[in-house]
Amino acid sequence: MQKHAVESYGLTRRFGAQLAVDDLNLLAPEAGVYGFLGPNGAGKTTTIRMLLSLIRPDAGEVRLFGVPLAADRRSLLRMVGALVEAPSLYPHLTGRENLEITRRLLGADRGLIDEALGVVKLAQDADRRVREYSMGMRQRLGLALALLNKPRLLVLDEPTNGLDPAGIHEMRDLIRRLPGEFGSTIFLSSHLLSEVEQIASHIGIIHQGRLLFQGTLAELQSQRLERLIIGVKQTEQAMRCLAAAGWSAQRRNDGRLAVSAATGDAAAQINSLLVNQGFDVFHIALMQASLEDIFLTMTDGRSDARRAA
């Protein structure tokens, strides 16, 4: 039977009239990376604050390693490390001195400082003042702080926010290595869908406080359909033409149209339809939907349903 590092049942939180988290049931397995996906304002940070007992739920229960958080909060949270938003650092001190302050507060082994610095690849910069660190180095130092209690569970809330492409690449590789090298389960929240796809073994998708999908990355990928990407000069008219013929087209950010079409025959029919109707088609290709396409399809459908309600 698979063990879970994080479980929630009926987790609900309101802020006044706003329902921020709505009946959330999470299952994050041990010894892996759970990607908690959702756009800004979806309820990710509120959920994380409830998981860390920073705020209390209005309803529902959180379990860590199978034990109710409310029953043994102090002992359970000793097994958790967290990096939520920007790390709190002393810029006039060195990286090592920042870690030493936290180590003393935790009563952790002195040797864990060098171990954590090695894991986040800051050993050579440990004696530089933090004010000299890049944003990426500061994020890695924040991660080292979260590792000082040798956590069984590491909770990371948008750890690549504000990083340049090189910093994102470094953080991605580091998170991917942590379960094997440090033995931690990673609970990672992000709105960067393509990043999570490269890191996570399990994924939960949240939108407007509700969980829309939960399962392995392979299970999510199995929902991918091929989409026909069409470049046509008369975009709006082409969308109406396709709709009249029974094809649902969506405009992409690049101005091209995306049509659900799983076969080459369907692509040929659509191309013939548009050309025969006098449209100038300059691009047509079958592409497998990305994780982002699946996410957008899920959240668009949920938004439409709520507006109708």
Side-chain angles (χ1 to χ4, degrees):
M1 183 177 178
Q2 190 171 40
K3 295 182 178 180
H4 294 95
V6 177
E7 301 168 74
S8 74
Y9 300 98
L11 200 62
T12 301
R13 174 71 191 205
R14 292 180 179 273
F15 294 100
Q18 180 188 0
L19 185 57
V21 175
D22 185 5
D23 194 29
L24 200 64
N25 299 306
L26 295 174
L27 291 174
E30 287 194 52
V33 178
Y34 184 98
F36 192 43
L37 289 176
N40 293 329
K44 302 188 303 297
T45 298
T46 299
T47 299
I48 282 176
R49 291 184 179 279
M50 287 189 284
L51 298 181
L52 296 175
S53 199
L54 297 174
I55 58 175
R56 294 183 181 275
D58 293 319
E61 179 186 52
V62 173
R63 290 174 175 257
L64 301 180
F65 308 106
V67 180
L69 181 58
D72 199 6
R73 183 176 288 106
R74 183 169 297 182
S75 296
L76 287 170
L77 293 177
R78 286 198 188 103
M79 298 187 284
V80 179
L83 178 58
V84 179
E85 300 174 345
S88 297
L89 303 171
Y90 297 100
H92 64 288
L93 300 180
T94 67
R96 187 182 300 278
E97 288 167 343
N98 272 270
L99 290 169
E100 175 62 17
I101 290 170
T102 300
R103 183 199 69 79
R104 291 185 183 184
L105 291 172
L106 292 172
D109 225 352
R110 191 181 296 273
L112 280 174
I113 289 181
D114 287 330
E115 187 175 352
L117 286 168
V119 169
V120 302
K121 296 185 177 180
L122 278 178
Q124 293 184 341
D125 298 290
D127 297 314
R128 290 173 56 189
R129 296 189 188 280
V130 168
R131 67 164 62 100
E132 301 170 11
Y133 281 15
S134 68
M135 179 69 76
M137 292 169 70
R138 292 182 186 215
Q139 283 294 91
R140 283 187 280 144
L141 182 60
L143 193 50
L145 288 167
L147 292 172
L148 278 180
N149 62 336
K150 201 81 172 176
R152 288 178 61 188
L153 172 64
L154 184 61
V155 178
L156 306 176
D157 188 16
E158 301 278 4
T160 59
N161 259 6
L163 300 186
D164 60 19
I168 290 173
H169 180 77
E170 288 177 351
M171 185 62 71
R172 180 203 308 153
D173 287 347
L174 175 56
I175 293 168
R176 191 184 290 122
R177 290 190 285 108
L178 280 173
E181 291 189 11
F182 223 76
S184 299
T185 298
I186 313 299
F187 187 95
L188 165 71
S189 89
S190 179
H191 66 278
L192 299 174
L193 311 179
S194 58
E195 287 299 317
V196 170
E197 188 176 17
Q198 299 178 61
I199 298 171
S201 54
H202 291 73
I203 286 178
I205 295 178
I206 186 175
H207 181 59
Q208 296 179 343
R210 293 191 65 84
L211 197 63
L212 304 185
F213 170 87
Q214 182 167 244
T216 65
L217 179 60
E219 288 169 343
L220 182 60
Q221 289 171 333
S222 71
Q223 298 190 23
R224 290 180 171 182
L225 298 174
E226 285 198 319
R227 294 162 68 87
L228 184 65
I229 308 302
I230 305 167
V232 58
K233 290 183 179 179
Q234 309 92 333
T235 306
E236 295 298 329
Q237 298 94 321
M239 288 179 68
R240 289 195 291 269
C241 176
L242 290 169
W247 300 96
S248 176
Q250 294 178 317
R251 183 199 290 270
R252 299 184 352 148
N253 290 336
D254 61 6
R256 299 184 182 187
L257 300 180
V259 183
S260 297
T263 68
D265 288 344
Q269 291 172 25
I270 289 172
N271 187 45
S272 295
L273 170 67
L274 292 175
V275 171
N276 290 336
Q277 292 293 322
F279 291 99
D280 299 315
V281 178
F282 60 84
H283 172 89
I284 188 163
L286 274 173
M287 294 178 60
Q288 190 178 55
S290 66
L291 177 60
E292 185 169 8
D293 291 329
I294 297 170
F295 172 77
L296 289 173
T297 300
M298 287 181 176
T299 55
D300 283 350
R302 176 62 62 178
S303 297
D304 290 344
R306 287 209 168 187
R307 281 194 292 269

